[in-house]
Amino acid sequence: MDTQSLNATLDAVNDARFHGLRLSKAERVEAARWITGRQDLAGSYHGMFAPTDRDFERGLRLFTGEVMRTRAGTAHVLSEEACHALIVLDVEETGVREALRLATESITPYLESLDGPRAGFYCCGKCTVAYWRHLAVGGLDHAEHRLSTGMKHLKARRQDDGRWGLYPFWYTLLALTEIELPAARRELKHAAPVCEHVLRRRPADQPFAARRRQLAERVLSVR
């Protein structure tokens, strides 16, 4: 847990989950309480979980390395990721459950305004993928419908090189590995040539390169 950064704290939770590490109850409770303590603070998105000053100053670095530089985008993505983290941390405390309920309640009217042809899409690729990750772990209403519609939007953005244009490639792959729909597996198959190419290259000595290689291996194992 990094009390100076919601981004860093969520990254640590995601890293533990990504590598199959089992957090102790004390670690899960500490993280969940700190995340919920960010609710409705200055800079929060729709009354959800606010980034810290350091997060706003530095901009958002997604778990897979892509960058989000806008203030609104940082606040939204970190709020969706905070809800994702609280669900997977699975802390059975009234305060944590209530914070998650309030976050869901605060964003629901806006999500309902997007239903219809735009269901499953937010405002941009990065924000949409963060939204999908929240839906994929059981957050929000009408998750299957919204994710199914989201997969249609994603398919419509396919490129010949195995990517999707608007959508950040690696972050999208991360979300797809959590979405239990045949349409998501078809999109993983679409991305397989990129993953194969990455794994044929020498490992890069760069931040996030190891995570991307591990993600590529997972994509090829489930397709």
Side-chain angles (χ1 to χ4, degrees):
M1 193 176 71
D2 184 339
T3 59
Q4 299 302 308
S5 172
L6 180 59
N7 189 13
T9 297
L10 297 175
D11 187 85
V13 172
N14 282 324
D15 192 67
R17 177 176 167 81
F18 186 71
H19 291 101
L21 302 178
R22 187 179 181 86
L23 298 177
S24 69
K25 181 178 179 180
E27 289 172 322
R28 291 186 293 108
V29 168
E30 183 183 29
R33 287 176 178 174
W34 187 81
I35 293 167
T36 57
R38 303 296 308 167
Q39 188 160 40
D40 205 23
L41 298 183
S44 66
Y45 184 87
H46 281 276
M48 297 172 82
F49 304 101
T52 64
D53 290 341
R54 192 173 85 185
D55 293 324
F56 281 129
E57 289 166 4
R58 296 185 177 182
L60 170 63
R61 177 76 73 165
L62 299 171
F63 182 77
T64 46
E66 298 95 336
V67 175
M68 169 71 82
R69 300 195 185 280
T70 68
R71 185 178 178 90
T74 294
H76 173 242
V77 169
L78 286 180
S79 284
E80 300 283 8
E81 287 286 345
C83 290
H84 178 282
L86 290 173
I87 291 169
V88 301
L89 286 169
D90 193 27
V91 172
E92 293 290 344
E93 286 192 352
T94 301
V96 174
R97 293 299 180 188
E98 180 66 6
L100 189 56
R101 185 192 68 79
L102 289 173
T104 300
E105 187 177 90
S106 69
I107 196 64
T108 293
Y110 181 69
L111 296 179
E112 290 175 346
S113 75
L114 300 178
D115 283 341
R118 288 194 64 198
F121 183 80
Y122 213 82
C123 59
C124 67
K126 292 171 185 172
C127 286
T128 298
V129 175
Y131 172 41
W132 291 346
R133 275 175 49 79
H134 187 181
L135 290 165
V137 293
L140 307 172
D141 294 331
H142 314 300
E144 184 172 350
H145 169 68
R146 287 168 170 166
L147 286 170
S148 295
T149 308
M151 294 303 96
K152 293 177 182 178
H153 290 298
L154 185 62
K155 182 180 179 180
R157 287 284 184 163
R158 282 185 183 181
Q159 297 180 165
D160 292 341
D161 64 358
R163 300 175 186 269
W164 298 278
L166 175 71
Y167 296 90
F169 181 75
W170 294 104
Y171 192 46
T172 301
L173 285 189
L174 182 67
L176 290 173
T177 61
E178 289 194 294
I179 298 172
E180 298 291 336
L181 291 174
R185 290 192 288 276
R186 288 192 289 271
E187 295 311 310
L188 290 176
K189 185 175 181 180
H190 168 71
V194 180
C195 297
E196 291 168 347
H197 176 72
V198 167
L199 294 176
R200 284 195 297 267
R201 298 186 312 203
R202 288 183 59 185
D205 184 19
Q206 297 174 350
F208 303 97
R211 285 179 182 174
R212 291 180 176 188
R213 287 184 68 86
Q214 288 175 281
L215 187 54
E217 290 168 353
R218 292 182 191 187
V219 170
L220 295 177
S221 73
V222 300
R223 69 186 176 92

mmCIF file of all heavy atoms in Angstrom, residues 175-197:
data_model
loop_
_atom_site.group_PDB
_atom_site.id
_atom_site.type_symbol
_atom_site.label_atom_id
_atom_site.label_comp_id
_atom_site.label_asym_id
_atom_site.label_seq_id
_atom_site.Cartn_x
_atom_site.Cartn_y
_atom_site.Cartn_z
ATOM 1 N N ALA A 175 -8.152 -6.947 -19.701
ATOM 2 C CA ALA A 175 -9.592 -7.026 -19.458
ATOM 3 C C ALA A 175 -10.199 -8.267 -20.101
ATOM 4 O O ALA A 175 -11.019 -8.966 -19.483
ATOM 5 C CB ALA A 175 -10.285 -5.769 -19.982
ATOM 6 N N LEU A 176 -9.803 -8.571 -21.320
ATOM 7 C CA LEU A 176 -10.378 -9.715 -22.030
ATOM 8 C C LEU A 176 -10.110 -11.029 -21.314
ATOM 9 O O LEU A 176 -10.935 -11.947 -21.373
ATOM 10 C CB LEU A 176 -9.824 -9.779 -23.460
ATOM 11 C CG LEU A 176 -10.299 -8.687 -24.421
ATOM 12 C CD1 LEU A 176 -9.537 -8.769 -25.736
ATOM 13 C CD2 LEU A 176 -11.803 -8.787 -24.665
ATOM 14 N N THR A 177 -8.971 -11.143 -20.633
ATOM 15 C CA THR A 177 -8.679 -12.379 -19.908
ATOM 16 C C THR A 177 -9.603 -12.570 -18.709
ATOM 17 O O THR A 177 -9.669 -13.672 -18.152
ATOM 18 C CB THR A 177 -7.217 -12.418 -19.428
ATOM 19 O OG1 THR A 177 -6.961 -11.327 -18.530
ATOM 20 C CG2 THR A 177 -6.251 -12.372 -20.600
ATOM 21 N N GLU A 178 -10.313 -11.525 -18.303
ATOM 22 C CA GLU A 178 -11.250 -11.622 -17.180
ATOM 23 C C GLU A 178 -12.703 -11.728 -17.624
ATOM 24 O O GLU A 178 -13.585 -11.988 -16.794
ATOM 25 C CB GLU A 178 -11.107 -10.402 -16.270
ATOM 26 C CG GLU A 178 -9.822 -10.361 -15.472
ATOM 27 C CD GLU A 178 -9.887 -9.329 -14.361
ATOM 28 O OE1 GLU A 178 -9.957 -8.131 -14.691
ATOM 29 O OE2 GLU A 178 -9.867 -9.719 -13.181
ATOM 30 N N ILE A 179 -12.974 -11.508 -18.887
ATOM 31 C CA ILE A 179 -14.358 -11.499 -19.377
ATOM 32 C C ILE A 179 -14.736 -12.897 -19.861
ATOM 33 O O ILE A 179 -14.146 -13.419 -20.820
ATOM 34 C CB ILE A 179 -14.526 -10.467 -20.509
ATOM 35 C CG1 ILE A 179 -14.236 -9.058 -19.979
ATOM 36 C CG2 ILE A 179 -15.934 -10.542 -21.097
ATOM 37 C CD1 ILE A 179 -14.189 -7.993 -21.054
ATOM 38 N N GLU A 180 -15.697 -13.498 -19.187
ATOM 39 C CA GLU A 180 -16.085 -14.882 -19.474
ATOM 40 C C GLU A 180 -17.173 -14.930 -20.544
ATOM 41 O O GLU A 180 -18.309 -15.326 -20.285
ATOM 42 C CB GLU A 180 -16.569 -15.570 -18.191
ATOM 43 C CG GLU A 180 -15.517 -15.667 -17.106
ATOM 44 C CD GLU A 180 -14.408 -16.636 -17.466
ATOM 45 O OE1 GLU A 180 -14.654 -17.544 -18.290
ATOM 46 O OE2 GLU A 180 -13.299 -16.489 -16.928
ATOM 47 N N LEU A 181 -16.804 -14.519 -21.750
ATOM 48 C CA LEU A 181 -17.742 -14.552 -22.868
ATOM 49 C C LEU A 181 -17.033 -15.105 -24.103
ATOM 50 O O LEU A 181 -15.850 -14.805 -24.320
ATOM 51 C CB LEU A 181 -18.255 -13.144 -23.191
ATOM 52 C CG LEU A 181 -19.186 -12.469 -22.182
ATOM 53 C CD1 LEU A 181 -19.462 -11.033 -22.620
ATOM 54 C CD2 LEU A 181 -20.491 -13.237 -22.046
ATOM 55 N N PRO A 182 -17.719 -15.891 -24.936
ATOM 56 C CA PRO A 182 -17.107 -16.366 -26.178
ATOM 57 C C PRO A 182 -16.590 -15.224 -27.050
ATOM 58 O O PRO A 182 -15.551 -15.360 -27.706
ATOM 59 C CB PRO A 182 -18.244 -17.132 -26.871
ATOM 60 C CG PRO A 182 -19.131 -17.574 -25.746
ATOM 61 C CD PRO A 182 -19.073 -16.455 -24.734
ATOM 62 N N ALA A 183 -17.302 -14.103 -27.052
ATOM 63 C CA ALA A 183 -16.875 -12.970 -27.873
ATOM 64 C C ALA A 183 -15.525 -12.437 -27.413
ATOM 65 O O ALA A 183 -14.709 -11.986 -28.228
ATOM 66 C CB ALA A 183 -17.918 -11.861 -27.822
ATOM 67 N N ALA A 184 -15.268 -12.477 -26.111
ATOM 68 C CA ALA A 184 -13.972 -12.025 -25.593
ATOM 69 C C ALA A 184 -12.866 -12.961 -26.058
ATOM 70 O O ALA A 184 -11.768 -12.513 -26.420
ATOM 71 C CB ALA A 184 -14.014 -11.956 -24.073
ATOM 72 N N ARG A 185 -13.134 -14.262 -26.060
ATOM 73 C CA ARG A 185 -12.123 -15.214 -26.528
ATOM 74 C C ARG A 185 -11.836 -15.028 -28.009
ATOM 75 O O ARG A 185 -10.695 -15.212 -28.460
ATOM 76 C CB ARG A 185 -12.583 -16.640 -26.222
ATOM 77 C CG ARG A 185 -12.571 -16.951 -24.728
ATOM 78 C CD ARG A 185 -12.753 -18.434 -24.454
ATOM 79 N NE ARG A 185 -14.100 -18.885 -24.723
ATOM 80 C CZ ARG A 185 -15.106 -18.784 -23.863
ATOM 81 N NH1 ARG A 185 -14.915 -18.245 -22.674
ATOM 82 N NH2 ARG A 185 -16.302 -19.240 -24.172
ATOM 83 N N ARG A 186 -12.849 -14.640 -28.772
ATOM 84 C CA ARG A 186 -12.612 -14.376 -30.196
ATOM 85 C C ARG A 186 -11.706 -13.162 -30.386
ATOM 86 O O ARG A 186 -10.879 -13.131 -31.309
ATOM 87 C CB ARG A 186 -13.952 -14.184 -30.929
ATOM 88 C CG ARG A 186 -14.743 -15.482 -31.083
ATOM 89 C CD ARG A 186 -15.894 -15.330 -32.055
ATOM 90 N NE ARG A 186 -16.968 -14.509 -31.541
ATOM 91 C CZ ARG A 186 -18.001 -14.971 -30.825
ATOM 92 N NH1 ARG A 186 -18.083 -16.260 -30.528
ATOM 93 N NH2 ARG A 186 -18.959 -14.167 -30.402
ATOM 94 N N GLU A 187 -11.841 -12.169 -29.509
ATOM 95 C CA GLU A 187 -10.966 -11.007 -29.606
ATOM 96 C C GLU A 187 -9.539 -11.354 -29.179
ATOM 97 O O GLU A 187 -8.570 -10.813 -29.713
ATOM 98 C CB GLU A 187 -11.519 -9.848 -28.773
ATOM 99 C CG GLU A 187 -12.853 -9.312 -29.274
ATOM 100 C CD GLU A 187 -12.855 -9.031 -30.768
ATOM 101 O OE1 GLU A 187 -11.921 -8.354 -31.255
ATOM 102 O OE2 GLU A 187 -13.789 -9.503 -31.461
ATOM 103 N N LEU A 188 -9.394 -12.270 -28.230
ATOM 104 C CA LEU A 188 -8.055 -12.749 -27.869
ATOM 105 C C LEU A 188 -7.406 -13.454 -29.064
ATOM 106 O O LEU A 188 -6.207 -13.309 -29.305
ATOM 107 C CB LEU A 188 -8.133 -13.697 -26.674
ATOM 108 C CG LEU A 188 -8.503 -13.077 -25.324
ATOM 109 C CD1 LEU A 188 -8.641 -14.159 -24.264
ATOM 110 C CD2 LEU A 188 -7.454 -12.044 -24.893
ATOM 111 N N LYS A 189 -8.198 -14.205 -29.792
ATOM 112 C CA LYS A 189 -7.676 -14.876 -30.986
ATOM 113 C C LYS A 189 -7.229 -13.856 -32.021
ATOM 114 O O LYS A 189 -6.197 -14.026 -32.684
ATOM 115 C CB LYS A 189 -8.748 -15.804 -31.572
ATOM 116 C CG LYS A 189 -8.265 -16.624 -32.747
ATOM 117 C CD LYS A 189 -9.332 -17.604 -33.204
ATOM 118 C CE LYS A 189 -8.828 -18.449 -34.375
ATOM 119 N NZ LYS A 189 -9.856 -19.428 -34.834
ATOM 120 N N HIS A 190 -7.996 -12.787 -32.167
ATOM 121 C CA HIS A 190 -7.618 -11.708 -33.083
ATOM 122 C C HIS A 190 -6.257 -11.128 -32.715
ATOM 123 O O HIS A 190 -5.451 -10.787 -33.589
ATOM 124 C CB HIS A 190 -8.688 -10.610 -33.051
ATOM 125 C CG HIS A 190 -8.286 -9.336 -33.709
ATOM 126 N ND1 HIS A 190 -8.142 -9.205 -35.081
ATOM 127 C CD2 HIS A 190 -7.964 -8.112 -33.186
ATOM 128 C CE1 HIS A 190 -7.773 -7.977 -35.381
ATOM 129 N NE2 HIS A 190 -7.652 -7.302 -34.249
ATOM 130 N N ALA A 191 -5.980 -11.021 -31.411
ATOM 131 C CA ALA A 191 -4.737 -10.412 -30.932
ATOM 132 C C ALA A 191 -3.568 -11.387 -30.891
ATOM 133 O O ALA A 191 -2.418 -10.966 -30.658
ATOM 134 C CB ALA A 191 -4.953 -9.830 -29.539
ATOM 135 N N ALA A 192 -3.823 -12.672 -31.103
ATOM 136 C CA ALA A 192 -2.777 -13.689 -30.949
ATOM 137 C C ALA A 192 -1.523 -13.417 -31.780
ATOM 138 O O ALA A 192 -0.405 -13.609 -31.281
ATOM 139 C CB ALA A 192 -3.351 -15.065 -31.272
ATOM 140 N N PRO A 193 -1.624 -12.960 -33.053
ATOM 141 C CA PRO A 193 -0.390 -12.717 -33.817
ATOM 142 C C PRO A 193 0.534 -11.686 -33.167
ATOM 143 O O PRO A 193 1.757 -11.822 -33.230
ATOM 144 C CB PRO A 193 -0.924 -12.220 -35.171
ATOM 145 C CG PRO A 193 -2.276 -12.837 -35.291
ATOM 146 C CD PRO A 193 -2.829 -12.817 -33.894
ATOM 147 N N VAL A 194 -0.043 -10.665 -32.551
ATOM 148 C CA VAL A 194 0.789 -9.668 -31.857
ATOM 149 C C VAL A 194 1.502 -10.323 -30.680
ATOM 150 O O VAL A 194 2.697 -10.100 -30.458
ATOM 151 C CB VAL A 194 -0.065 -8.484 -31.357
ATOM 152 C CG1 VAL A 194 0.811 -7.470 -30.631
ATOM 153 C CG2 VAL A 194 -0.807 -7.826 -32.506
ATOM 154 N N CYS A 195 0.783 -11.153 -29.935
ATOM 155 C CA CYS A 195 1.385 -11.836 -28.791
ATOM 156 C C CYS A 195 2.501 -12.776 -29.224
ATOM 157 O O CYS A 195 3.558 -12.850 -28.576
ATOM 158 C CB CYS A 195 0.303 -12.608 -28.029
ATOM 159 S SG CYS A 195 -0.970 -11.552 -27.311
ATOM 160 N N GLU A 196 2.277 -13.493 -30.307
ATOM 161 C CA GLU A 196 3.317 -14.395 -30.822
ATOM 162 C C GLU A 196 4.559 -13.619 -31.225
ATOM 163 O O GLU A 196 5.697 -14.045 -30.947
ATOM 164 C CB GLU A 196 2.764 -15.180 -32.014
ATOM 165 C CG GLU A 196 1.701 -16.198 -31.621
ATOM 166 C CD GLU A 196 0.957 -16.768 -32.810
ATOM 167 O OE1 GLU A 196 1.086 -16.192 -33.922
ATOM 168 O OE2 GLU A 196 0.243 -17.779 -32.646
ATOM 169 N N HIS A 197 4.356 -12.478 -31.855
ATOM 170 C CA HIS A 197 5.492 -11.653 -32.278
ATOM 171 C C HIS A 197 6.279 -11.157 -31.068
ATOM 172 O O HIS A 197 7.523 -11.188 -31.068
ATOM 173 C CB HIS A 197 4.985 -10.466 -33.099
ATOM 174 C CG HIS A 197 6.063 -9.513 -33.498
ATOM 175 N ND1 HIS A 197 7.016 -9.811 -34.450
ATOM 176 C CD2 HIS A 197 6.352 -8.248 -33.058
ATOM 177 C CE1 HIS A 197 7.833 -8.791 -34.581
ATOM 178 N NE2 HIS A 197 7.464 -7.832 -33.745
#
